[in-house]
Amino acid sequence: MDSICALAKDLNLKIMEDAAHALPTRYNDKLIGTIGDVTCFSFYANKTMTTGEGGMFCTDDDEIAKRVKVMRLHGINRDVWDRFSTGASWEYDVVAPGFKYNMPDINAALGIHQLKKIELFREKRERIAKIYYEELGEIPGLILPRLYCDMKDHSWYIFVVLIDRDKTKSGIGRNEFIDEMTKRNIGTSVHYKPLHRMTYYREKYGLKPEMFPNAEWVFERCVSLPMFSAMTENQLEYVIASVKKILL
Ligand SMILES: *Cc1c(COP(=O)(O)O)cnc(C)c1O
């Protein structure tokens, strides 16, 4: 972000950050959401904090904030609370061709209380990550995520490991690993299937797997281990014991 911010300053550009699953994380001791001109977070069901659907937009620019508030709800210049409160005037105006991108108030009511717990949720996930590193570090063919920052500055949104068939003891690959975990009633997931393998992008741009050897290498091997703040001690132990049983 330091070099991106410097470049943006030189060229007089604005920075909009997709920080969808980076709540709450830090960069150089600054909370994500306070660095770029605008930062977007997602509160979708699988994120570090959820309101079911919706998200959060952060900026310290009053002009941008005003524009976002207008554009998120039909380009109307006053929101519904403002208009329908007792004593308020019924008058309103459409000042721009806006969207219907508002977060429902019911979801927001959940979010206000979730926000108070985000650091607690993060600490719980960090602890799971720590135990994964301690317990799964020495398994041939299992590559754990490389750490680029302090563990406390990481969101631990998902825990993606790579299964390298050429190096596992049993010659097991990612797909068989997932099957074995499923048999033991453990949910895993693949984050993510690359865009060039999605029908629309493949057809529209004529993309072929051999054009993206690095993405292919990772895609064939990646699998996400369970990682959620409500994970119990027993569940964590069971996952670790199962991974060892399958790969050792
Ligand atoms: C989840 C996610 C999104 C999408 O967020 P929505 O709230 O579903 O629109 C975008 N970018 C990243 C990096 C994400 O993880």
Side-chain angles (χ1 to χ4, degrees), residues 144-163:
L144 300 183
R146 204 155 109 197
L147 258 181
Y148 291 93
C149 65
D150 201 286
M151 284 196 77
K152 70 172 172 27
D153 293 333
H154 200 295
S155 75
W156 301 112
Y157 161 56
I158 47 180
F159 197 85
V160 180
V161 302
L162 303 176
I163 308 280

Side-chain angles (χ1 to χ4, degrees), residues 82-133:
D82 188 15
R83 276 193 287 138
F84 296 146
S85 306
T86 332
S89 155
W90 60 268
E91 178 66 67
Y92 66 97
D93 192 12
V94 171
V95 295
F99 307 104
K100 177 80 182 175
Y101 288 176
N102 60 307
M103 181 177 185
D105 293 312
I106 292 170
N107 302 58
L110 289 174
I112 282 174
H113 294 278
Q114 291 272 302
L115 270 178
K116 295 173 189 155
K117 302 183 203 160
I118 50 171
E119 186 50 33
L120 179 71
F121 291 158
R122 200 206 60 77
E123 279 168 17
K124 288 187 169 185
R125 290 191 306 271
E126 179 188 329
R127 191 172 162 272
I128 295 166
K130 260 190 189 135
I131 296 172
Y132 277 155
Y133 278 112

Side-chain angles (χ1 to χ4, degrees), residues 18-21 41-44 46-47 53-55 157 192:
D18 175 353
H21 55 247
F41 297 94
S42 170
F43 296 153
Y44 180 62
N46 69 349
K47 303 296 175 174
E53 261 296 2
Y157 161 56
Y192 293 92

